[in-house]
Amino acid sequence: MAPTALSAPTESRTHTKLPLKVAALACARPTHILHRTPWRPSVATSAEGSYITLEDGRVLIDGVGGASVACIGMGNPDVVRAIQEQVAKVAYVYNMQLSNQPAEDLADYLIAISKGAFDMVGIVSGGSEAMEAVIKTARQYWYETGHPERKNFIGRKLSFHGNTVTTLSLAYHPTRRLPYADILDTNVFHHVSPAYAARFQLPEESEEQYVERLRAELEAKFLELGPHTVAAFVAETVVGATTGVVPAPRGYFKAMKSVCDKYGALFVLDEVMCGMGRMGTLHAWESFGDGIAPDLQAVAKGLGGGYASIGAILMSKKVVNGIRDGSGFWLHGHTYQATPIACAASLAVQKVIARDDLLANCREQGEYLASLLRQRLAPPSKAAPYIFDIRGGGMFWGIEFTTPTEDDTFQSAYSKKYGSQKLAMLVQERCMSKGLIILGFTGGADLTGKKGDHSILSPAYTVTREEVRKIVSIYVDVVEEIFGALDL
C-alpha cells in the first residue's frame, strides 16, 4: 500500500499553532517529505546570485546563504561548467578503490592556501560528517601513537558541532540534544563554559580576567579527568547558530591552546559555519582566533558553496606524522567521500573566490552591513531598547534581542500581542513574507537553552552594496513593525 502524503499540519497534530500566512502556504499541497518544519515549506524553482524564485512566482533575496552556505551566490557559470564537465568525465568512484583528479586537485589547493598550517586533507560529504571524522581522526592519532588512554574530549556549553549522535554528544545545544539525551555519550564527552562575554563575563572582570577564568576552568577539567586521558579540546572559532555569531574574547584561543600544549592534548577547531572565508579571512582563526592554527580543523559550508554536499578535515603535520608512523592511512571512510563531482564543484567555488577577490568584498560589505544595522537599530528606533547586541565580522552577523523573559513589561506586552510565538521566529517569518530570507534562533542566552532570541545575516561574498541596503532595510522594517505594535 502506497504511503499517504502528509497534508498541512494542524494545531492538534503539531501542538504548535502556525501563523496564518505560514499555515496557508503549508496547505498549498501535500508532501511525502517529512520536513524539518511543522509546515510544508514553499518550493524554490530557480535561483541566480542572491535571489531565489518560488513556485508561486515570488522572488526572495537570500540574506543568509541558506544556512551560511551559498557563499558565491547561485548559478555561477564557472561552477556550473565545472560540474557539467565532470559529470561527463567520471561521476563517481569509490575512494577505497580509486582516487580521482578533482579530489587530488582540491586537496592540493587547500594545502597550498593554508600557508603551512596543514599538511593533508580528508574529504567528506558535509559538516556533521566532518566533525565526526575529526573526532575519529583525533582518536586514531592517539591510538596509533601509543596513547590509547587519551579518550576524553572537552567541548563547550552552548556549542553545536553537528546532528549525529556523536557530534551532539561533543556539543552542548540544549534543545537539539533534548530528544536524544538518553542515548548521548556522557562518559568521554565533557563540557566547559562558553566564551560568551556579553552574557557571562562578570561585571567586575576585565577581558583578560574573564579569559583567565575560562583558562583555569579548562585546566581544572583536564585535572579532573586526568590530563593524560584528554584527547582534545574542541571549539567553534566563532559560534554560529547556537548563540548567534559569537566570537571569543581576545586572547581566549591562545589561552586554551596553552592548556592543550601543557598537557599534550590536541587543539581542534570547528569552522564548518564560520570558515572558508565567512569571517573575511580564509580561516576564521586568522582573524578571530588569535592567529592560532589548530591540530585539526573541520570545514564544510563555504567549501562547496551549496553547489555540492562536501566537507573536509584539515590535518596538521603533527597529526599526519603520527598516523604515517602508525598504520599510514586514514581509518575513517564513507561511500560518498571525495566524490569527483563534489570536489570539482568545490574547487571551482574556491577558485572563483580567489580570482574575484571575494574575501575583500566580504570584509568591505560586511562592515557596511554592520554600520547600517547599528545606525538603523539605534535610537530613535522603536526597537533600540530591545537590541542586546550586534556582533560579527566579514559576512557573518548576529543580532541578539533582549527577550521577553528578561523584561516583565515587555513580556506582558509581547504575549498579549503575539502569544507564545518566539520573537526570533516571528522576525524570520515576517522577513520571509516581505521577501527576505534570514535565520532565527532561540535559546542561546543561557545555559538551559530556554532564554534568548537572535537573528543571523550571512549573505553571499558576492553581495553588492545595493543588496546590503535592501537586506538591512527589510530586516529593520520588520523588527520595528513588530516592536512598534507592542503596547508599551
Side-chain angles (χ1 to χ4, degrees):
M1 182 177 177
T4 302
L6 295 177
S7 58
T10 62
E11 182 178 357
S12 61
R13 290 172 62 186
T14 65
H15 309 290
T16 303
K17 186 174 182 180
L18 299 176
L20 291 178
K21 288 182 180 179
V22 175
L25 289 173
C27 292
R29 72 167 187 252
T31 179
H32 284 92
I33 298 174
L34 185 59
H35 285 287
R36 294 178 64 187
T37 56
W39 60 87
R40 173 189 173 274
S42 299
V43 175
T45 56
S46 64
E48 183 175 357
S50 294
Y51 294 89
I52 299 175
T53 301
L54 305 183
E55 60 183 343
D56 61 7
R58 288 180 296 149
V59 178
L60 310 176
I61 184 168
D62 189 353
V64 74
S68 305
V69 174
C71 57
I72 64 167
M74 302 305 295
N76 183 280
D78 295 308
V79 183
V80 171
R81 188 180 310 111
I83 294 171
Q84 291 172 333
E85 290 176 355
Q86 189 57 47
V87 169
K89 289 178 182 177
V90 55
Y92 175 79
V93 293
Y94 182 42
N95 62 92
M96 282 192 72
Q97 298 164 340
L98 298 168
S99 187
N100 63 85
Q101 199 57 50
E104 297 289 347
D105 292 345
L106 177 61
D108 289 346
Y109 187 84
L110 292 175
I111 296 305
I113 62 177
S114 74
K115 302 175 184 177
F118 304 108
D119 195 55
M120 297 198 84
V121 178
I123 303 173
V124 294
S125 296
S128 292
E129 191 179 311
M131 283 306 299
E132 188 93 15
V134 159
I135 295 166
K136 291 178 69 178
T137 304
R139 175 57 184 169
Q140 181 183 349
Y141 170 79
W142 291 118
Y143 181 80
E144 304 234 25
T145 56
H147 296 281
E149 71 280 4
R150 287 193 180 266
K151 61 182 181 179
N152 288 309
F153 290 80
I154 302 174
R156 302 186 300 182
K157 297 176 182 178
L158 293 181
S159 62
F160 181 68
H161 295 297
N163 256 333
T164 68
V165 171
T166 301
T167 54
L168 283 171
S169 299
L170 171 64
Y172 204 94
H173 188 299
T175 55
R176 294 190 185 188
R177 285 168 60 98
L178 184 61
Y180 316 104
D182 290 340
I183 63 170
L184 298 183
D185 188 337
T186 58
N187 293 318
V188 300
F189 294 105
H190 313 272
H191 305 92
V192 291
S193 297
Y196 188 0
R199 288 288 182 185
F200 299 109
Q201 182 176 336
L202 301 177
E204 66 274 14
E205 283 182 319
S206 66
E207 185 174 60
E208 292 78 10
Q209 289 170 329
Y210 178 50
V211 168
E212 171 55 26
R213 175 160 62 88
L214 295 176
R215 187 210 62 78
E217 181 186 355
L218 179 62
E219 182 166 24
K221 181 62 71 173
F222 268 73
L223 295 174
E224 173 193 331
L225 297 171
H228 63 287
T229 72
V230 178
F233 167 71
V234 186
E236 297 160 274
T237 313
V238 177
V239 181
T242 303
T243 51
V245 194
V246 174
R250 285 173 296 181
Y252 171 81
F253 286 106
K254 182 179 180 180
M256 300 302 106
K257 179 70 158 57
S258 72
V259 177
C260 293
D261 289 346
K262 181 176 181 179
Y263 297 108
L266 297 178
F267 176 65
V268 177
L269 293 179
D270 177 349
E271 295 203 357
V272 167
M273 198 170 196
C274 65
M276 298 310 296
R278 179 57 61 185
M279 302 308 301
T281 51
L282 177 65
H283 302 300
W285 53 262
E286 294 178 284
S287 49
F288 287 84
D290 301 323
I292 305 294
D295 295 306
L296 289 167
Q297 178 177 321
V299 295
K301 295 176 185 287
L303 182 61
Y307 288 89
S309 297
I310 191 167
I313 72 166
L314 308 176
M315 309 175 199
S316 68
K317 186 176 288 293
K318 170 184 174 179
V319 171
V320 170
N321 287 343
I323 292 174
R324 277 178 176 155
D325 293 340
S327 65
F329 62 93
W330 203 22
L331 299 180
H332 175 77
H334 288 280
T335 302
Y336 289 96
Q337 183 169 303
T339 58
I341 296 172
C343 291
S346 176
L347 182 59
V349 168
Q350 296 310 309
K351 288 184 174 180
V352 167
I353 292 172
R355 182 198 67 199
D356 296 345
D357 198 15
L358 293 183
L359 297 191
N361 189 64
C362 189
R363 293 189 295 270
E364 179 183 344
Q365 301 305 336
E367 290 176 3
Y368 183 52
L369 185 149
S371 68
L372 289 181
L373 284 172
R374 288 171 175 145
Q375 291 168 16
R376 292 285 308 275
L377 292 173
S381 168
K382 297 173 183 176
Y386 307 104
I387 302 300
F388 178 77
D389 197 15
I390 298 171
R391 71 251 176 164
M395 203 47 69
F396 199 28
W397 291 89
I399 305 95
E400 184 176 355
F401 301 98
T402 300
T403 60
T405 55
E406 296 179 89
D407 184 312
D408 291 339
T409 302
F410 182 22
Q411 181 177 14
S412 176
Y414 184 89
S415 299
K416 182 178 179 181
K417 179 66 179 178
Y418 300 115
S420 61
Q421 187 173 14
K422 298 290 187 179
L423 173 58
M425 308 319 295
L426 178 61
V427 173
Q428 177 180 292
E429 177 213 327
R430 293 279 183 92
C431 283
M432 180 78 81
S433 71
K434 293 182 181 295
L436 170 65
I437 303 174
I438 67 161
L439 283 174
F441 295 97
T442 63
D446 73 349
L447 300 180
T448 68
K450 296 178 180 179
K451 185 174 77 173
D453 291 85
H454 61 267
S455 304
I456 291 179
L457 297 175
S458 54
Y461 308 168
T462 53
V463 70
T464 65
R465 200 170 181 86
E466 179 183 353
E467 288 169 340
V468 168
R469 285 196 295 269
K470 182 174 183 178
I471 290 167
V472 172
S473 179
I474 296 173
Y475 180 80
V476 172
D477 286 350
V478 163
V479 170
E480 290 192 326
E481 178 185 87
I482 289 171
F483 285 102
L486 298 179
D487 184 17
L488 292 169

